[in-house]
Amino acid sequence: MLKLLLKTLVLPFYRLNTGLFLFIFFFFFGVVEAGQLISYHLTLIQAMVHAAVFMVAVCLLWLLYFVKCIRFALKGIHSPANSFLVNLQALPAARQWLLLLPVALLLFLPVLAYAGPVMYVAVAEAESILAVCLALYLLAAVTAGAWLMKYTLHCYNRKPLLLALPHLHIGGTSLIALQIANLLNKRKVALLSVKLMSVLVLFGFWQLNKHFDQTLFLMFFPIPVVAQAVLVYYSVIFTETEMAFHRNLPLPVIRVFFAFTCTSILLLLPEFAFILLHAADHFTWPELISLYLLAVAVLVLFTAILYTLQANIHKYMLAVLLLYFLLTYLMVLPHRFTLVGFILIVAAAFFLRGYRRFELSS
Amino acid sequence: MLHIKHYSKGYHGQPPVLEIPELHLPHGLYWLQGENGSGKTTLLKSLAGLVPFTGSVSVARTDQQRQPVQYRRLVSYAEAEPVFPGFATGAELLQFYSRTKGGIQVKTKELLQNLGMATWVGNKTSTYSSGMLKKLSLLLAFVGEPQLILLDEPLTTLDAAASKTILEHILLIHRQGASFIITSHQPLDAQVLPYTLLHIKSANLHQAAAHA
């Protein structure tokens, strides 16, 4: 019976979110050289253990992941294809817990796997209370997840509150407004996670580098930029599935390109605001604007790459990884506005070609 | 009206599912027939500019590749199983189409009323039934002043009254100068719609006799 539950609620989750996991794996393990991987993560974990704000933010990020997992499981229980799961009600309560706890555990596995070393470091750094609190937090999350699934099975006719997250209405009827509305409505957990993650990375930089080093910051800057790669992917997929009809509308291709550019500009506003608040003293205005425009140009290039690669997530992630490494070298070069112009021209060329030939494989 | 030359469409390196060496269709109302998987939807999507293909397609001497914007003003398409963003309302999508296609005609507004859409068009499309989605999709295909309207299974999921309204509207718009290519597994009454048969067989498109 557990096997059936894993097949209906766990495996589809990992299958559907392959892109997200590839992205997370890349984000945490691909951005540093293999030799520095352990020291990089140890520094990150030590920052979590010693800075309460950092730890709270990480817990919030994990909470968003838990919400994503449980929303998927609850939707799965409610889907017509899985209606047979309602028969689990007939089992004794203890047996139901024994079946649903492993489901929650396996859904939360990526977080639990990372939380283990965090707790170990906390104990080693004489922060045992933090380790206990963390263990209780994770235990509460797994139990709550299993309980929510059990509750949903027993109250099958009621829509779980977790599935009824508020919908945000964006009045506009342009491609840009619809793309933003998609991220705010259908991808709100991913959007929040990415924004929290990138701001967290920027915050971590400021915590670890009290004496601001501009060169170091420029080499670090591509990390929060590439964190947006997953949102770019969701925007392209939305445009080519739910908005596929736009291809029959008399919209010049350049206008579609412009819509993606505007979406990128809006997407990066929170990071820009964060940098403005913290680094305004260390950069001139033209430098700040060139940084922002460079980030926008990179997202537009991601869009163009997705169209060129027929939205193949594996190839896309590889391209993002390569671009990340290239960007860390390009960041420190002078004439950043020229670089922005060059990236936008390359992106436009790739986009025009890729958009016309694009066909989403079913 | 419609001119197709050296058309070929295949998927991912496979042999072409459909090939049309050359075809010229004058103004008319065409019923496109073919077995399941014969390529009817692929052809309509190609003509609508939704999927890439090799060859050339033009409507009223406007080429799809060379004049993509003008071409799309002339050609409208309604999918068999329409998909729209669930958070957008029908009214918003209508506004989006109207802005790009060049306005909503009086007759289209009448169609909205006749299909009984006025009461729910302001709701989010995620709340629509499949029949309501179909009505919205068909209505959107009539926005602007298209010269060629491609309707993929326009009658499925529609109730009898809505089917009648749609067929009457097709005839009305056809008499005003628009051509239609319709796929339908439901029989079309030649007394109501004077159609010409098009048949896809062995990955080729054949034109049959007119029925009136």
Side-chain angles (χ1 to χ4, degrees):
Chain A
M1 205 174 285
L2 180 64
K3 205 173 160 186
L4 198 62
L5 273 173
L6 299 184
K7 270 188 183 173
T8 49
L9 301 179
V10 179
L11 283 180
F13 175 76
Y14 285 103
R15 210 175 292 134
L16 195 77
N17 291 293
T18 312
L20 181 71
F21 288 113
L22 265 174
F23 170 75
I24 290 172
F25 185 81
F26 151 73
F27 194 78
F28 282 99
F29 302 99
V31 293
V32 282
E33 288 172 27
Q36 294 175 343
L37 203 59
I38 294 176
S39 62
Y40 167 75
H41 281 278
L42 190 63
T43 314
L44 261 183
I45 292 171
Q46 281 170 336
M48 284 179 211
V49 169
H50 296 297
V53 186
F54 200 25
M55 190 74 237
V56 169
V58 169
C59 285
L60 199 61
L61 202 62
W62 287 350
L63 183 68
L64 285 172
Y65 176 76
F66 296 152
V67 170
K68 182 180 173 66
C69 294
I70 292 303
R71 271 170 62 86
F72 181 86
L74 300 189
K75 272 185 194 168
I77 292 170
H78 266 274
S79 84
N82 296 335
S83 58
F84 65 92
L85 290 175
V86 81
N87 295 315
L88 289 173
Q89 288 177 6
L91 291 174
R95 181 103 172 89
Q96 288 180 33
W97 278 107
L98 277 174
L99 285 170
L100 296 171
L101 275 171
V103 172
L105 264 171
L106 285 170
L107 284 171
F108 296 168
L109 196 62
V111 162
L112 299 177
Y114 201 83
V118 175
M119 285 189 282
Y120 179 80
V121 172
V123 173
E125 304 251 333
E127 296 279 1
S128 304
I129 297 174
L130 179 73
V132 172
C133 289
L134 207 54
L136 288 173
Y137 170 71
L138 297 171
L139 186 70
V142 173
T143 315
W147 180 82
L148 275 167
M149 284 186 264
K150 189 171 173 288
Y151 176 82
T152 307
L153 281 168
H154 284 263
C155 305
Y156 199 74
N157 297 330
R158 241 180 283 165
K159 193 178 180 184
L161 199 64
L162 205 61
L163 288 184
L165 287 179
H167 275 245
L168 296 160
H169 189 74
I170 304 271
T173 52
S174 63
L175 205 52
I176 307 158
L178 289 165
Q179 282 178 345
I180 292 294
N182 171 58
L183 291 172
L184 287 172
N185 285 294
K186 289 191 77 183
R187 300 292 181 185
K188 54 169 90 72
V189 176
L191 179 68
L192 256 173
S193 305
V194 168
K195 291 294 139 192
L196 193 62
M197 203 195 296
S198 61
V199 170
L200 197 66
V201 166
L202 286 170
F203 179 76
F205 179 85
W206 258 270
Q207 286 292 312
L208 297 171
N209 297 278
K210 296 287 182 195
H211 305 290
F212 190 82
D213 180 342
Q214 202 183 82
T215 312
L216 192 64
F217 176 78
L218 290 177
M219 289 175 72
F220 181 83
F221 183 70
I223 298 177
V225 176
V226 295
Q228 320 296 319
V230 73
L231 300 177
V232 173
Y233 175 76
Y234 286 144
S235 287
V236 169
I237 293 298
F238 165 73
T239 308
E240 293 302 330
T241 51
E242 287 167 75
M243 290 289 295
F245 62 81
H246 84 278
R247 283 179 175 268
N248 181 235
L249 297 177
L251 297 168
V253 187
I254 203 73
R255 210 167 129 190
V256 182
F257 178 75
F258 179 70
F260 276 110
T261 309
C262 290
T263 304
S264 302
I265 289 172
L266 293 172
L267 263 184
L268 286 162
L269 277 177
E271 284 78 6
F272 184 56
F274 188 92
I275 293 172
L276 262 187
L277 282 173
H278 290 81
D281 298 339
H282 306 286
F283 290 101
T284 61
W285 270 101
E287 280 175 332
L288 280 172
I289 290 168
S290 71
L291 271 178
Y292 181 47
L293 290 181
L294 183 65
V296 170
V298 169
L299 294 203
V300 176
L301 185 60
F302 285 169
T303 310
I305 287 171
L306 265 169
Y307 272 104
T308 306
L309 299 174
Q310 304 282 316
N312 181 311
I313 186 73
H314 298 96
K315 288 180 185 170
Y316 173 60
M317 280 299 146
L318 191 67
V320 168
L321 184 69
L322 289 173
L323 265 173
Y324 165 77
F325 286 116
L326 189 64
L327 209 56
T328 51
Y329 290 105
L330 294 175
M331 284 303 297
V332 286
L333 294 178
H335 312 298
R336 204 173 293 127
F337 280 111
T338 315
L339 182 63
V340 170
F342 175 73
I343 294 176
L344 281 176
I345 289 168
V346 170
F350 272 101
F351 184 86
L352 295 179
R353 190 174 176 274
Y355 179 83
R356 288 199 182 103
R357 297 179 178 195
F358 186 84
E359 189 169 10
L360 200 63
S361 53
S362 50
Chain B
M1 182 268 306
L2 172 69
H3 191 203
I4 303 174
K5 202 170 180 185
H6 304 313
Y7 171 90
S8 176
K9 174 67 189 166
Y11 289 100
H12 314 295
Q14 300 290 313
V17 289
L18 189 60
E19 282 183 308
I20 305 168
E22 185 145 18
L23 182 79
H24 180 79
L25 294 179
H27 170 256
L29 207 154
Y30 299 91
W31 181 9
L32 178 63
Q33 292 187 332
E35 291 171 2
N36 291 335
S38 58
K40 300 187 293 293
T41 298
T42 299
L43 178 62
L44 293 195
K45 281 189 173 180
S46 301
L47 297 180
L50 264 74
V51 294
F53 57 88
T54 55
S56 71
V57 169
S58 60
V59 170
R61 297 182 182 199
T62 307
D63 188 86
Q64 195 194 92
Q65 314 283 333
R66 279 186 237 136
Q67 298 143 287
V69 176
Q70 292 92 320
Y71 179 89
R72 283 164 175 82
R73 281 210 184 92
L74 299 177
V75 180
S76 283
Y77 172 60
E79 280 195 85
E81 291 169 21
V83 183
F84 298 110
F87 51 79
T89 66
E92 284 170 346
L93 292 170
L94 198 57
Q95 196 187 343
F96 185 44
Y97 265 70
S98 164
R99 264 197 217 152
T100 54
K101 287 262 183 187
I104 303 171
Q105 306 301 306
V106 179
K107 292 286 170 202
T108 312
K109 285 179 186 163
E110 281 174 15
L111 180 65
L112 187 143
Q113 296 293 335
N114 294 342
L115 287 171
M117 292 174 66
T119 51
W120 49 263
V121 75
N123 299 342
K124 285 177 186 160
T125 59
S126 58
T127 63
Y128 291 7
S129 67
S130 53
M132 289 155 98
L133 281 171
K134 191 76 179 177
K135 285 180 184 176
L136 176 64
S137 165
L138 289 166
L139 184 80
L140 293 175
F142 290 108
V143 172
E145 288 181 68
Q147 290 198 17
L148 174 64
I149 302 177
L150 312 160
L151 304 178
D152 198 355
E153 297 291 346
L155 304 179
T156 47
T157 71
L158 289 187
D159 55 58
S163 295
K164 188 170 174 285
T165 306
I166 285 295
L167 291 174
E168 284 170 0
H169 195 76
I170 289 171
L171 193 62
L172 176 77
I173 299 299
H174 174 57
R175 282 181 182 151
Q176 286 180 350
S179 293
F180 285 82
I181 299 180
I182 301 169
T183 72
S184 177
H185 284 109
Q186 275 103 327
L188 296 179
D189 186 352
Q191 300 298 319
V192 181
L193 290 180
Y195 59 80
T196 303
L197 265 184
L198 293 173
H199 205 91
I200 296 180
K201 203 172 182 182
S202 311
N204 268 288
L205 184 66
H206 306 274
Q207 191 173 344
H211 293 66

